[in-house]
Amino acid sequence: MNILRETLFWIPLLWHWPFLMLCRLSSRRSIIEKDRLQWYIKVLRTQRQPNLRDDFQLSLLPEYRSLCYSRMGGLRRLTQWYLPGQSLLALARPQEYYGAGLVIHHGGNTRLGAVRMGENCEVWHNVTLGVGSHDNDDRPTIGNHVKIFTGATIAGKVTIGDYAVIGAGCVVLEDIPANAVVYAEKPKIRINQSR
């Protein structure tokens, strides 16, 4: 049974091996390594020294592959055609605009188009960071260690301070100071009982 389990591990790993090697050979490998360590802690929930099985588990995540492909530059063409990233995740700016340690949880319908994102940020699905008007420089600036939860929209020339938390469903159109928590108020639902 152990031999079968080991065989079932190594066969798919051969498919992902070129991607893992490109991450190691990339000229931006120091940033990819910081991303990788944050993904171990935040996604795989492990504090131990990472091993090959953990690398393989990360390579199975399309969001992680999308982030690595944005960091790799032209090298991504070697594996992206058969091992694509998350198709509904748009990293709209070049990779140098995203700080190291970026973690994207469930990256579907997410568009990251900030002027700059700081280090160790976390983003969930359905998040939009982008242009508030037709002016291309009208984009948000995100600080370090910011968490942006599901469905949040940050538009325009706003600044989000370090360690800020943007709650689910928030629409942010003005500056947020450091260490602030922003949340959307629960909408009141009225039910008409008369018939």
Side-chain angles (χ1 to χ4, degrees):
M1 192 60 155
N2 237 358
I3 296 171
L4 178 62
R5 191 177 317 143
E6 285 298 315
T7 305
L8 291 176
F9 168 72
W10 286 102
I11 290 172
L13 180 63
L14 293 174
W15 189 251
H16 290 253
W17 189 256
F19 168 76
L20 295 171
M21 292 312 298
L22 286 177
C23 288
R24 299 260 197 262
L25 297 173
S26 172
S27 62
R28 307 279 297 183
R29 71 178 165 268
S30 63
I31 292 178
I32 292 174
E33 183 66 22
K34 289 178 185 175
D35 290 338
R36 185 173 141 249
L37 292 175
Q38 285 300 312
W39 281 72
Y40 284 138
I41 294 167
K42 308 282 178 152
V43 177
L44 298 182
R45 305 280 186 209
T46 180
Q47 297 289 332
R48 61 182 163 73
Q49 184 64 31
N51 59 28
L52 184 60
R53 289 184 190 274
D54 294 334
D55 284 347
F56 175 62
Q57 281 185 314
L58 281 182
S59 73
L60 293 174
L61 300 173
E63 294 86 0
Y64 179 73
R65 291 194 307 259
S66 291
L67 181 61
C68 286
Y69 286 145
S70 76
R71 305 271 196 217
M72 283 183 207
L75 282 178
R76 70 176 178 258
R77 292 187 189 100
L78 298 173
T79 59
Q80 194 174 20
W81 62 275
Y82 77 88
L83 200 61
Q86 171 62 267
S87 61
L88 298 175
L89 171 63
L91 298 167
R93 304 284 283 176
Q95 48 88 15
E96 61 266 10
Y97 291 89
Y98 304 106
L102 175 61
V103 177
I104 303 165
H105 302 275
H106 315 293
N109 297 325
T110 299
R111 178 173 170 72
L112 304 180
V115 169
R116 183 190 154 280
M117 277 188 91
E119 293 189 355
N120 300 325
C121 291
E122 289 184 75
V123 176
W124 276 258
H125 58 286
N126 291 336
V127 168
T128 302
L129 307 177
V131 179
S133 68
H134 294 294
D135 183 13
N136 201 25
D137 292 332
D138 196 15
R139 297 174 183 270
T141 302
I142 311 297
N144 298 320
H145 303 278
V146 173
K147 292 183 180 183
I148 305 171
F149 287 95
T150 305
T153 300
I154 303 172
K157 197 169 191 163
V158 299
T159 301
I160 308 297
D162 294 347
Y163 295 97
V165 176
I166 309 298
C170 290
V171 177
V172 177
L173 301 173
E174 57 189 47
D175 292 351
I176 304 297
N179 300 312
V181 176
V182 179
Y183 61 93
E185 224 173 292
K186 190 165 112 178
K188 295 182 181 173
I189 300 171
R190 298 178 192 264
I191 300 173
N192 189 356
Q193 298 274 343
S194 63
R195 283 196 170 205

